[in-house]
Amino acid sequence: MMRKMKKVSVVVLVALMVLGTSTLAFGASVVLWGGESDKARISEVLDWADQRIGQLNQSKQDNAQKINDLTNQITQLKGQLTDKDNQIAAKQQEVNAKMVELQNKQNEVNQKI
């Protein structure tokens, strides 16, 4: 009976060891598989982030070009306004000269009367 108990104990111990080893192997495979899945997900996120960064950099470059274009247009418009101001000032001087001339003629006419 004692021998049978020892055999049963050994069989049970071996069974528990096999069960423990298989459980450990199963757990390790799950961890490794899960790790691969996490790596794949992280890789996807990093790829998406790289694409987004690329898009943002392109937008930044596009916006910088638009700002440069608008700055150039503003500079051109300022130049045109300065030209118009100068033309207006020249015309104003002509008008003032004509006014003085007309005033002088008016004074001459008034003296003759």
Side-chain angles (χ1 to χ4, degrees):
M1 182 82 158
M2 189 72 150
R3 252 178 171 213
K4 218 173 193 184
M5 282 294 275
K6 281 185 178 181
K7 283 183 181 178
V8 171
S9 297
V10 169
V11 169
V12 169
L13 183 60
V14 170
L16 287 174
M17 289 173 61
V18 169
L19 179 63
T21 304
S22 63
T23 303
L24 181 62
F26 176 73
S29 66
V30 166
V31 168
L32 291 175
W33 180 78
E36 290 299 317
S37 176
D38 289 344
K39 287 179 188 175
R41 180 67 183 135
I42 290 169
S43 178
E44 288 175 15
V45 170
L46 290 176
D47 288 344
W48 174 85
D50 284 343
Q51 290 175 350
R52 188 67 182 131
I53 289 169
Q55 290 170 348
L56 292 173
N57 284 334
Q58 185 62 46
S59 294
K60 180 181 174 183
Q61 290 172 356
D62 292 346
N63 289 337
Q65 184 60 47
K66 288 176 185 176
I67 289 170
N68 287 338
D69 292 345
L70 290 172
T71 301
N72 291 338
Q73 288 178 357
I74 289 169
T75 301
Q76 290 174 349
L77 289 172
K78 283 182 179 179
Q80 291 173 1
L81 284 174
T82 301
D83 291 345
K84 290 293 180 187
D85 285 345
N86 291 339
Q87 291 173 3
I88 289 170
K91 289 289 181 184
Q92 187 63 45
Q93 288 176 351
E94 289 177 21
V95 168
N96 289 343
K98 290 285 183 185
M99 292 290 288
V100 169
E101 187 180 326
L102 286 173
Q103 188 65 39
N104 289 339
K105 286 185 180 182
Q106 182 67 38
N107 288 341
E108 288 176 20
V109 168
N110 286 342
Q111 286 177 358
K112 289 182 180 176
I113 297 181

